[in-house]
Amino acid sequence: MTNSTKNMSELQQKALRHLSPVMTRVTNLVVKKAHGAKFWTVDDEEYIDFVSGVAVNALGHTHPEVVKAITDQANSLIHLGLNYGYYESVVNLAEKLAEITPGELDTVFFSNSGAEAIDGAIKLARAATRRPALIAFEGSFHGRTIGATTLTASSAKYKKHYEPLMGGVYHIPYPYTLQLGRGMSEQEAAAYSLDRLQKLFELQVDPTQVAAIIIEPFMGEGGYVPAPAAFLQELRRITEKHGILLVFDEVQTGFGRTGKMFAAEHAEVTPDILVLAKALSSGMPLGAIVAKRELHEKWPVAGHGSTFGGNPVSCAAALASIHVIEREQLVERSAALGSQIVERLKQEIGHLTTVSQIRGTGLMIGVEFRDENGDPGTKLVAAIREETLKNKLLVTSCGVYGQTIRLMLPLNIAEEDLNKGLTILEKAIVKVATV
């Protein structure tokens, strides 16, 4: 046994003794360092990373400008607390988000994570409207705090042990054609979802009691599925008609992932509340609730707070990350590169009968599988992930049944790493999913 193998084994044993087993364990790798779209284990094995910290590392691992921003900020101020004073990084980041987010969203509350920001958005919506009810979507994933867990409907396992959850939450189908019914068109799926919303208003909760409708404009964990633009536009019309707030969860879609800075821009719809995290700060913990000033002013002073929200170091990392995305035109690259990848995958694996659909907007790309009986390809996807990992490529899945491989590449991924990783993925799919 080499020293590096021994070190890996020892660390794994410590982890098994001291880290809670509640966390889903995707691999048992012990990672020593990472840069760009690659990481290395303690035994110096090199892997290509198509997960990017679950869409967090939009600039890849350890981007030098982000690292410098973190180091410089840490040398001057690590923590103060926004209750006790302003500091440059948080104020400048709030101003920057007001500049780049859709419409006239100009005021920000910072939190530590996406789930925490979702819970804050729930509180803001209820406080501002003085209404109790919330509507979310089947297949949605919004996080693991109690409020976010209640909204989540991508798997019963997320709720199984925590009843009773938060009251006043209703769910309607997301316009996901493959999940609603084979042969259903995008327009039919949208119409079905809107009809279910109308039935909900008629039979279960009057719209005058609804504080907010919360949606991922591009579904993440539930399957990597975009909501049709016309559907989001109609949802905007309905919410305005009834005085309901429209909340977009862009925790996974924000900052260029879909080929626009924010997915809302594809439909030209501005939500009342925009929830951000993940790629916001390139790996540092940070979430944000962005809305118009007049809406934030309906939130009573001391009605919400956060000890670490808007941490100086996290905000400095976010500013550096946004600067690189804009300077290097990575949003535009995401749109162009994503189209090329989808076309390549269609050519290389689209002929396989087990491939249900290859879809993507920008670098938010999903490959959905079915088995020989036409059922969700859960086992196929698990085998594909295992095969790619053997060949030093990390990928992950999504979908209610784990039937979809999702790609979350850095927006600035080097072409060499991209091509090598895609080749590994394509070979694994052909090997595993050919029936």
Side-chain angles (χ1 to χ4, degrees):
M1 179 183 291
T2 66
N3 286 335
S4 59
T5 304
K6 181 181 177 182
N7 289 339
M8 177 178 279
S9 177
E10 289 178 352
L11 284 166
Q12 288 169 336
Q13 290 303 314
K14 287 180 183 179
L16 289 171
R17 284 197 302 271
H18 300 298
L19 293 178
S20 174
V22 71
M23 181 75 77
T24 302
R25 176 90 359 236
V26 178
T27 82
N28 288 310
L29 299 174
V30 180
V31 179
K32 177 174 66 175
K33 63 179 181 179
H35 188 70
K38 297 178 182 179
F39 65 86
W40 292 263
T41 60
V42 292
D43 55 356
D44 293 319
E45 292 287 340
E46 179 182 286
Y47 287 77
I48 296 174
D49 183 3
F50 274 13
V51 177
S52 299
V54 194
V56 167
N57 302 318
L59 303 180
H61 296 278
T62 60
H63 190 282
E65 291 186 39
V66 176
V67 171
K68 184 178 186 304
I70 291 170
T71 303
D72 289 348
Q73 181 61 60
N75 279 326
S76 60
L77 177 66
I78 292 177
H79 176 72
L80 179 72
L82 272 175
N83 301 73
Y84 301 101
Y86 302 120
Y87 38 89
E88 189 174 2
S89 62
V90 74
V91 173
N92 287 344
L93 179 57
E95 180 184 48
K96 187 63 180 178
L97 290 176
E99 174 192 324
I100 65 175
T101 50
E104 298 177 358
L105 308 179
D106 62 357
T107 301
V108 186
F109 180 92
F110 288 111
S111 64
N112 301 295
S113 69
E116 186 183 310
I118 286 290
D119 271 24
I122 291 170
K123 292 170 73 174
L124 172 56
R126 284 179 163 175
T129 64
R130 298 183 181 275
R131 298 177 178 185
L134 301 161
I135 298 172
F137 288 81
E138 294 171 2
S140 63
F141 181 87
H142 297 288
R144 300 175 194 265
T145 54
I146 286 296
T149 296
T150 308
L151 295 178
T152 290
S154 57
S155 176
K157 68 185 179 184
Y158 296 127
K159 303 183 179 188
K160 182 178 179 181
H161 303 289
Y162 309 115
E163 299 286 356
L165 294 168
M166 187 177 69
V169 175
Y170 303 83
H171 290 90
I172 60 173
Y174 195 90
Y176 180 179
T177 55
L178 292 183
Q179 200 152 288
L180 291 179
R182 293 173 189 169
M184 183 178 284
S185 69
E186 184 180 277
Q187 292 78 14
E188 289 170 332
Y192 177 73
S193 183
L194 291 169
D195 180 67
R196 289 289 299 274
L197 176 61
Q198 182 58 37
K199 289 291 191 296
L200 184 70
F201 286 159
E202 293 172 359
L203 302 177
Q204 295 192 60
V205 59
D206 191 89
T208 61
Q209 299 302 300
V210 178
I213 295 177
I214 302 169
I215 186 170
E216 298 165 279
F218 196 120
M219 183 186 284
E221 185 81 15
Y224 265 41
V225 181
F231 173 79
L232 294 175
Q233 291 162 2
E234 182 62 14
L235 208 58
R236 174 74 284 183
R237 188 193 68 78
I238 291 169
T239 53
E240 288 177 344
K241 174 184 176 182
H242 294 293
I244 298 168
L245 298 177
L246 181 60
V247 181
F248 277 5
D249 177 345
E250 293 226 31
V251 168
Q252 192 160 163
T253 56
F255 302 94
R257 176 60 51 191
T258 67
K260 298 283 189 182
M261 185 64 85
F262 301 100
E265 297 173 57
H266 289 286
E268 298 182 344
V269 171
T270 300
D272 297 293
I273 301 173
L274 183 65
V275 179
L276 306 172
K278 287 192 182 291
L280 168 59
S281 50
S282 281
M284 296 296 291
L286 190 65
I289 304 163
V290 192
K292 287 184 179 180
R293 188 75 186 179
E294 63 191 64
L295 185 59
H296 273 278
E297 287 177 346
K298 294 179 181 180
W299 213 352
V301 174
H304 194 51
S306 174
T307 297
F308 292 105
N311 171 268
V313 181
S314 295
C315 290
L319 281 165
S321 181
I322 294 168
H323 176 69
V324 173
I325 289 171
E326 290 185 323
R327 187 191 69 223
E328 298 185 3
Q329 298 182 312
L330 295 181
V331 177
E332 293 82 358
R333 185 178 194 256
S334 173
L337 191 58
S339 295
Q340 294 169 23
I341 293 169
V342 168
E343 286 307 309
R344 170 175 168 166
L345 291 173
K346 286 180 177 178
Q347 290 178 15
E348 297 296 327
I349 61 169
H351 63 283
L352 299 175
T353 57
T354 50
V355 175
S356 294
Q357 193 175 67
I358 299 168
R359 55 181 176 262
T361 306
L363 287 174
M364 197 161 183
I365 298 167
V367 183
E368 185 162 344
F369 293 85
R370 57 177 174 246
D371 64 19
E372 64 274 13
N373 300 314
D375 295 322
T378 309
K379 292 181 179 179
L380 288 174
V381 167
I384 291 165
R385 290 174 59 182
E386 184 177 344
E387 182 66 21
T388 59
L389 194 64
K390 287 179 184 176
N391 290 282
K392 304 298 188 291
L393 171 68
L394 181 67
V395 298
T396 194
S397 60
C398 64
V400 172
Y401 305 102
Q403 77 275 22
T404 301
I405 292 286
R406 56 173 159 166
L407 304 184
M408 295 172 280
L409 318 175
L411 307 188
N412 60 346
I413 186 170
E415 289 193 15
E416 179 184 357
D417 296 333
L418 172 64
N419 290 327
K420 183 177 179 181
L422 287 176
T423 299
I424 294 170
L425 176 62
E426 290 157 357
K427 288 181 177 178
I429 290 171
V430 169
K431 179 178 179 179
V432 170
T434 300
V435 176

